[in-house]
Amino acid sequence: MVIKNWRRALLPAVVIAVVAVAPGAPSAFSETAAPAAEYERIVNGAFSSGAADPWWTGANTSGAVTGGEYCVDVTGGTANGYDALSGQNGVPYEAGQSYTLTFDARSTVAQPISAVAGEAVEPYRQIARTDVTVTPTSQTFTFTFESTLDFPAAGNGQFAFWFGGQSFDNTVCVDNVSLVGGVLPPPGLEPAAPLRVNQVGYVPGLPKQASLATDATTPLAWTLRNGAGASVATGQTTPKGHDAASDENLHVIDFSAYDQQGSGYTLKVGDEVSHPFDISATAMTGLRYDSLAFFYHQRSGTPIEARYVGDEYARPAGHVNVAPNQGDDDVPCRADLNCGYTLDVRGGWYDAGDHGKYVVNGGISAWQLQNSFERAAVLGDEAALGDGTLAIPEQSNGVPDVLDEARWEVEFLLSMQVPDGQPLAGMAHHKIHDAQWTGLPTLPHEDAQPRRLSAPSTAATLNLAAVAAQASRLWAPYDAEFSAATLAAAEKAYAAAKANPDRLADPNDGTGGGAYSDPTVTDEFYWAAAELFATTGRYRADVTGSPLFGGESIGVRGFDWAATGALGDITLLLVPRDLSTDTIRAAIVSTADTHLANMAAMGHPAPYRTADGGYEWGSNGLVANNGVVLGLAYDLTGTPKYRNGAFAAMDYLLGRNPVDHSYVAGWGDQPVRNVHHRHWANQLDPSLPTAPPGALSGGPNSALQDPVAQRLLPGCAPQRCWVDHIEAYSLNEVTVNWNSALAWLSNWTAERAVPPVTPPSGCKVGYSASTWQTGLTAQLTITNTGTTAWDEWRLEFTFSGDERVQQGWSATWTQTDRSVLARNLQWNTRVAPGGSVTAGFNATKTGTHTPPAAFKVNGQACTTA
């Protein structure tokens, strides 16, 4: 598996803590101690993966795996052994138990080193230490000792090598490091209650299902109880059998028939009682705003004010050149790049739990926020994302708040563009972050690290082109100057990318920030071309000439920051141009069908499937993005099964999963709290907050790519490879692109929580058109001839020729091939019996225009006037 967003959680404050261990203490190692048990306590002691993690280096040291060994370069001139060290944290020790330490070691120049078992935090107690002399010839050292202290797995136990105290520079290499002992096995999975539900709520009229882990092979009786504890429905579970994703025997509970709205419902099977939940059309509505609030919390370069987030989450501005910050207003390139200029890159969003800002991850995130608005304007509830809907400083400025929030990132993306007159002008720098990783916790305004720009990349440049082009068309009604500026930047970036099509980000540029390397940029080229085409009508050949044109990027794995072709497809569907999108539509529907088929076989259904059945870093982001595909399939077809699938994805994220947690902070009875983040760090510092409501955890990752995961979850089933721990960064990190996926899906489910009602009434459509050689203007009158009012209306018809709708009024207009769909606006949604609405459009054509032969309103055939 390629790790594309690797971040190492180095903790310098913990690393240097060992200096407090008394260097003169007698060794507790012995050749004659009792035999050790068989549990290995060191992670990655053989360095067989080629990576050093979770081994860290402290001051005066730097380490890397070379030739299968872990080699540490040591700076000379230090006074003590602990002035230059390397080790790993979270090592478990049990008082009174025996341990055997074994390692191979050699050095360029002979010198003494120490192997130390101890405590990583105050009062820095020592368990054992042994001193050996290493030489240019590799030697194997073996010692046993008995622990005097107790440290649980992923606790404050530490093992370290001391390399300091020498006058000369040196390189020391170690290999096959093993610490075997203790009687407690690795703790494995956290216990999870067997009865799992959406801990927030279910929607009347939609499926309502729960999962039960049980050894029973026959149906069991279940009871649904209301908030007062009274039984309101009963039934029998349906045995599902063994579920590979959770490695459990599961039953499904289906209580879809019960639709009485209320709060505090619970399910009961035998002695097991679920978390409480609501049945309500509005149970999840507020999540659309909490998920978007995440982005204000992540803003860089501005104070986060208590009036918008509360006192608990308020903080000073970060990286604004106020000590100890070195600021983002005058940032140079990495020293080895020697670019000769600096950039003012204040603003933007902190990408994740660190203080880096990345164009390729910020790009998809800003796009999803803007796309959620564009889709709502065409197919949904635009007003729900309008001005005054978010708690941000820009509220009440006459601009939809979701666009204001996205602009905070778009302006940062523009600032990352190489200036005119410089080599690679128009390209975008890949990222900006600290020169070295900061520790946990570190609030942004406390970050003293120098900031550095990484090299420009083709992928970053195309992200800029795509998002800026999208922003240009969305901002045109609100800020013409900004719209023009973003389009100019987009076209400049696209031209620069075409001139430099293979400048790939360095996969080894991972010091102080994630590398975000991507070996393939065909998808970014297609995405950028699609956005420019949608905005300008130009670049058509670049779109249709791409091997990805026509839905080739839409697949079961889903899209993310490194797989962006589907974003271009979605835009082509939403923004009418003279281009057939039938194959894109078919790809979305076909992929949605595959998701539904896969989910039908799962005990905890989620629209997620990899070739090997594993779960990868950020799996929850992919679940949410695949929920987007299901939602779009419903938008395109109106078929209920796709709506049900999108809501099932939310069920999984909100608690119907085998770890029995809601993966969304602040939502559900047992939500995630301790996400990997440098200032939502309550687990490490009680004075700091937990994750704010609406933050999405990365979710299960069966590759176990951090030391906490490796210690706590060996052998876990894919959906159970997760723990709510701040240092489990490969499982419990947050990022802007996962939250943008949640925000899109949350907005969609809020809209679709009330299933559309097709009234049992008739309709009549009048159609007239004025035509000229290359176009036409059409006017339609839509009349409700039934006895029941329409609370919304949807008009459908098909052209017989090559007519293409270019703009319309009094409705939102979309066209797929020859099929046209018009939906009501907010002001003309209701049509009383006998009432009418009028709407119209302008279209291009060639040849003679023939009026549509048939019309449907809300799926019903209409008479024609």
Side-chain angles (χ1 to χ4, degrees):
M1 181 178 297
V2 178
I3 305 166
K4 295 184 175 177
N5 59 345
W6 185 267
R7 295 181 186 84
R8 295 188 59 203
L10 299 181
L11 308 179
V14 174
V15 170
I16 63 173
V18 75
V19 302
V21 177
S27 173
F29 288 98
S30 167
E31 297 285 356
T32 59
E38 297 301 319
Y39 297 121
E40 177 61 68
R41 306 307 188 179
I42 293 292
V43 175
N44 192 25
F47 310 103
S48 56
S49 69
D53 202 78
W55 294 86
W56 43 253
T57 53
N60 305 306
T61 57
S62 62
V65 177
T66 304
E69 298 177 301
Y70 178 50
C71 294
V72 180
D73 294 329
V74 183
T75 302
T78 57
N80 306 292
Y82 50 78
D83 290 335
L85 45 77
S86 179
Q88 63 179 251
N89 300 321
V91 179
Y93 298 104
E94 302 162 49
Q97 296 303 317
S98 179
Y99 295 82
T100 297
L101 171 70
T102 303
F103 62 93
D104 300 337
R106 64 178 181 86
S107 58
T108 302
V109 180
Q111 73 159 84
I113 67 171
S114 300
V116 183
E119 187 173 22
V121 298
E122 290 183 316
Y124 312 123
R125 294 167 292 175
Q126 180 176 303
I127 296 172
R129 181 183 129 213
T130 191
D131 302 324
V132 301
T133 297
V134 293
T135 69
T137 300
S138 181
Q139 304 173 74
T140 299
F141 301 94
T142 300
F143 304 95
T144 61
F145 66 95
E146 184 175 293
S147 179
T148 56
L149 299 174
D150 272 310
F151 293 115
N156 291 325
Q158 182 185 82
F159 175 79
F161 289 110
W162 294 0
F163 300 132
Q166 311 305 311
S167 61
F168 50 86
D169 293 350
N170 204 2
T171 298
V172 182
C173 298
V174 297
D175 197 5
N176 299 316
V177 185
S178 173
L179 181 64
V180 176
V183 296
L184 295 177
L189 302 169
E190 289 188 342
L195 188 46
R196 294 99 186 228
V197 298
N198 178 331
Q199 297 174 19
V200 175
Y202 296 88
V203 174
L206 296 184
K208 305 174 195 68
Q209 294 185 335
S211 301
L212 174 70
T214 174
D215 292 333
T217 58
T218 58
L220 301 173
W222 59 260
T223 302
L224 176 66
R225 303 185 303 184
N226 64 19
S231 173
V232 294
T234 60
Q236 295 283 308
T237 66
T238 300
K240 192 78 174 176
H242 180 263
D243 179 63
S246 63
D247 193 25
E248 297 172 312
N249 186 67
L250 294 177
H251 290 205
V252 172
I253 300 168
D254 191 330
F255 57 107
S256 302
Y258 188 83
D259 268 344
Q260 182 65 45
Q261 298 199 49
S263 60
Y265 287 99
T266 56
L267 282 168
K268 187 175 187 296
V269 179
D271 294 330
E272 299 295 339
V273 179
S274 74
H275 296 286
F277 55 87
D278 294 350
I279 296 177
S280 169
T282 60
M284 293 180 286
T285 299
L287 183 53
R288 76 195 325 171
Y289 302 120
D290 277 357
S291 59
L292 286 168
F294 175 90
F295 297 91
Y296 178 67
H297 282 281
Q298 290 288 100
R299 286 190 186 186
S300 175
T302 188
I304 304 306
E305 299 182 55
R307 58 178 167 159
Y308 303 118
V309 298
D311 292 337
E312 184 179 13
Y313 292 101
R315 59 174 174 82
H319 300 99
V320 290
N321 210 22
V322 174
N325 282 169
Q326 298 191 32
D328 281 356
D329 58 334
D330 194 30
V331 180
C333 295
R334 279 195 344 245
D336 60 302
L337 299 176
N338 193 29
C339 65
Y341 57 85
T342 63
L343 293 181
D344 183 346
V345 291
R346 286 172 290 181
W349 299 318
Y350 296 121
D351 176 72
D354 61 279
H355 299 142
K357 298 185 289 189
Y358 307 85
V359 171
V360 295
N361 211 38
I364 185 175
S365 306
W367 181 90
Q368 280 197 297
L369 264 61
Q370 294 184 148
N371 180 261
S372 67
F373 176 79
E374 188 160 49
R375 180 217 152 262
V378 173
L379 300 172
D381 184 3
E382 177 182 347
L385 296 172
D387 191 26
T389 56
L390 299 181
I392 57 175
E394 297 84 1
Q395 60 184 196
S396 302
N397 66 351
V399 177
D401 284 349
V402 69
L403 295 185
D404 281 324
E405 187 57 67
R407 181 170 177 166
W408 190 264
E409 180 70 7
V410 173
E411 290 184 337
F412 160 74
L413 299 180
L414 299 183
S415 75
M416 293 287 280
Q417 200 160 24
V418 177
D420 291 342
Q422 298 291 340
L424 303 178
M427 296 284 282
H429 286 271
H430 199 69
K431 56 181 181 166
I432 175 263
H433 54 64
D434 292 324
Q436 299 291 330
W437 286 104
T438 55
L440 296 172
T442 304
L443 271 70
H445 67 286
E446 297 171 344
D447 177 14
Q449 282 284 329
R451 308 280 276 176
R452 296 291 181 263
L453 293 166
S454 289
S457 73
T458 306
T461 305
L462 291 167
N463 268 260
L464 169 58
V467 175
Q470 179 196 35
S472 177
R473 66 176 178 268
L474 294 175
W475 276 91
Y478 307 106
D479 188 333
E481 183 177 355
F482 182 62
S483 174
T486 53
L487 181 57
E491 295 196 280
K492 180 189 294 185
Y494 189 67
K498 293 188 78 172
N500 299 275
D502 55 2
R503 287 189 173 270
L504 304 181
D506 181 0
N508 297 313
D509 182 14
T511 301
Y516 279 103
S517 60
D518 183 358
T520 303
V521 294
T522 307
D523 50 333
E524 283 85 2
F525 270 110
Y526 175 62
W527 173 33
E531 296 297 341
L532 284 162
F533 173 66
T535 299
T536 69
R538 303 188 302 275
Y539 304 92
R540 178 190 178 97
D542 289 22
V543 174
T544 59
S546 170
L548 301 182
F549 174 59
E552 295 298 321
S553 298
I554 300 170
V556 174
R557 179 189 177 273
F559 55 87
D560 61 9
W561 68 268
T564 58
L567 311 185
D569 287 326
I570 294 170
T571 288
L572 293 176
L573 281 175
L574 293 176
V575 183
R577 286 289 178 186
D578 184 16
L579 190 70
S580 174
T581 56
D582 282 357
T583 54
I584 298 173
R585 175 190 177 106
I588 287 177
V589 172
S590 174
T591 300
D593 283 334
T594 302
H595 285 315
L596 294 180
N598 291 338
M599 293 166 73
M602 301 173 73
H604 304 91
Y608 182 89
R609 176 65 63 89
T610 59
D612 63 0
Y615 273 56
E616 63 187 272
W617 196 323
S619 63
N620 280 347
L622 288 166
V623 168
N625 279 331
N626 289 330
V628 169
V629 172
L630 287 162
L632 288 170
Y634 178 74
D635 286 342
L636 293 171
T637 68
T639 304
K641 65 179 181 179
Y642 302 123
R643 181 181 68 236
N644 298 346
F647 276 89
M650 289 295 284
D651 289 346
Y652 172 83
L653 295 175
L654 294 173
R656 190 188 173 193
N657 55 62
V659 298
D660 191 42
H661 273 70
S662 166
Y663 288 121
V664 181
W667 284 78
D669 197 46
Q670 185 164 268
V672 61
R673 293 171 49 86
N674 301 310
V675 301
H676 178 76
H677 202 274
R678 278 160 176 73
H679 53 273
W680 303 330
N682 178 268
Q683 190 175 8
L684 298 176
D685 181 347
S687 70
L688 294 174
T690 58
L696 176 66
S697 166
N701 175 8
S702 50
L704 303 181
Q705 292 164 287
D706 66 71
V708 170
Q710 291 160 7
R711 293 190 195 284
L712 297 182
L713 302 172
C716 55
Q719 276 189 345
R720 299 201 70 191
C721 295
W722 182 84
V723 64
D724 188 12
H725 195 292
I726 190 172
E727 294 182 84
Y729 51 88
S730 72
L731 315 177
N732 210 28
E733 189 175 26
V734 294
T735 72
V736 286
N737 67 311
W738 302 336
N739 244 81
S740 63
L742 176 66
W744 197 107
L745 184 59
S746 297
N747 183 66
W748 187 94
T749 53
E751 284 184 7
R752 301 303 190 187
V754 180
V757 176
T758 302
S761 59
C763 53
K764 179 174 66 176
V765 176
Y767 181 92
S768 62
S770 300
T771 65
W772 58 94
Q773 184 175 2
T774 59
L776 66 99
T777 298
Q779 186 81 1
L780 298 96
T781 301
I782 306 156
T783 302
N784 180 352
T785 60
T787 59
T788 305
W790 301 341
D791 290 324
E792 62 179 357
W793 53 268
R794 183 179 72 253
L795 171 70
E796 298 171 90
F797 60 87
T798 301
F799 288 127
S800 59
D802 63 353
E803 296 90 341
R804 302 296 301 184
V805 174
Q806 298 298 304
Q807 65 182 113
W809 51 91
S810 300
T812 57
W813 295 87
T814 57
Q815 182 173 348
T816 302
D817 196 18
R818 295 181 177 182
S819 299
V820 178
L821 172 67
R823 292 178 182 268
N824 60 269
L825 299 178
Q826 289 297 306
W827 57 268
N828 63 2
T829 180
R830 184 174 176 82
V831 183
S836 299
V837 292
T838 58
F841 61 86
N842 293 325
T844 60
K845 71 173 182 65
T846 60
T848 302
H849 170 64
T850 302
F855 300 89
K856 289 183 179 180
V857 172
N858 295 339
Q860 292 188 333
C862 302
T863 59
T864 55

